[in-house]
Amino acid sequence: ARALGVKVICVHKGLPFGKQSYEHSQCSDIGVVAKRFPDVAFLVYHSGFVTGVTEQAYDPSANRDGIDTLIHSLAENEVRPNSNVYAELGSTWRFLMREPTAAAHALGKLIKACGENNVLWGTDSIWYGSPQDQIQAFRTFQIAPILRARYGYAEMTPALRAKIFGLNAARVYNVRPAEVKRYTRRDAIAKAREN
């Protein structure tokens, strides 16, 4: 990929397709390649999330599956926050939004380990239909102050939400938000809103 000039690699990690793919859905290899190729951006779809694994605060000695495999791999390979690993929330947020404590741990860990500039919005709405419920839940979601104080999680501010909802992805995909707004202001949806 690097020889061809490809600088963004997207990989499905988490939500395994049965037992035969479970091992490969974990993120133990992400930190290894991110450290080896710091000039490449690695977008980790689903962030290693696995249904049936309750997201808790990261404990390096617990050896848990799910998002912890990504956190552990980054820590073990000294991949710093806001470097070249991006955690994407497609399907992950959909499953977690009904479990506020697990959602707080998942988002808190991802923002802390990957960086506030490297968590990306995703819905997988092709599978679930309109993502409006996911968007509304994320717009109002807060990480409880007690969890922020105890584990060093970030506060979900409007600025952080804006980054996750699109500004972070715009940067990694080299899309200028002002340019997008210029075109979307004159599309069919914008015209319908005006009327």
Side-chain angles (χ1 to χ4, degrees), residues 163-183:
K163 286 181 174 189
I164 294 171
F165 267 136
L167 295 177
N168 291 344
R171 193 182 77 257
V172 74
Y173 286 120
N174 200 23
V175 173
R176 293 188 310 271
E179 183 92 5
V180 171
K181 284 182 182 179
R182 193 177 78 169
Y183 287 102

Side-chain angles (χ1 to χ4, degrees), residues 2-191:
R2 289 172 75 234
L4 294 172
V6 175
K7 295 294 185 169
V8 177
I9 307 271
C10 302
V11 60
H12 181 281
K13 291 287 188 173
L15 298 174
F17 298 115
K19 292 179 182 176
Q20 67 275 13
S21 72
Y22 192 84
E23 173 190 350
H24 304 290
S25 72
Q26 300 299 287
C27 298
S28 57
D29 53 352
I30 297 296
V32 176
V33 295
K35 182 176 183 177
R36 186 170 176 196
F37 304 109
D39 60 322
V40 175
F42 294 92
L43 280 62
V44 183
Y45 288 172
H46 319 299
S47 305
F49 176 78
V50 176
T51 58
V53 172
T54 301
E55 291 298 333
Q56 305 170 49
Y58 175 64
D59 176 356
S61 65
N63 199 28
R64 291 189 200 107
D65 284 349
I67 290 173
D68 279 11
T69 65
L70 176 58
I71 307 303
H72 185 76
S73 183
L74 298 180
E76 190 174 66
N77 290 282
E78 300 174 344
V79 177
R80 300 178 63 84
N82 297 313
S83 58
N84 64 329
V85 174
Y86 296 77
E88 188 266 352
L89 300 175
S91 289
T92 301
W93 176 250
R94 182 178 185 276
F95 285 108
L96 287 171
M97 69 183 190
R98 295 172 191 90
E99 301 177 36
T101 302
H105 285 302
L107 283 172
K109 291 186 291 190
L110 290 172
I111 294 165
K112 189 174 179 179
C114 295
E116 71 173 27
N117 298 319
N118 288 35
V119 177
L120 309 176
W121 180 250
T123 62
D124 279 350
S125 62
I126 190 169
W127 303 114
Y128 310 117
S130 172
Q132 194 59 42
D133 62 335
Q134 295 180 59
I135 293 167
Q136 287 177 262
F138 194 79
R139 280 185 179 154
T140 60
F141 181 75
Q142 288 294 331
I143 297 174
I146 193 167
L147 294 177
R148 294 196 318 258
R150 185 170 183 187
Y151 301 109
Y153 296 158
E155 181 178 358
M156 296 299 297
T157 63
L160 178 55
R161 276 186 233 287
K163 286 181 174 189
I164 294 171
F165 267 136
L167 295 177
N168 291 344
R171 193 182 77 257
V172 74
Y173 286 120
N174 200 23
V175 173
R176 293 188 310 271
E179 183 92 5
V180 171
K181 284 182 182 179
R182 193 177 78 169
Y183 287 102
T184 56
R185 281 189 190 121
R186 59 185 186 209
D187 70 8
I189 294 172
K191 289 177 184 175

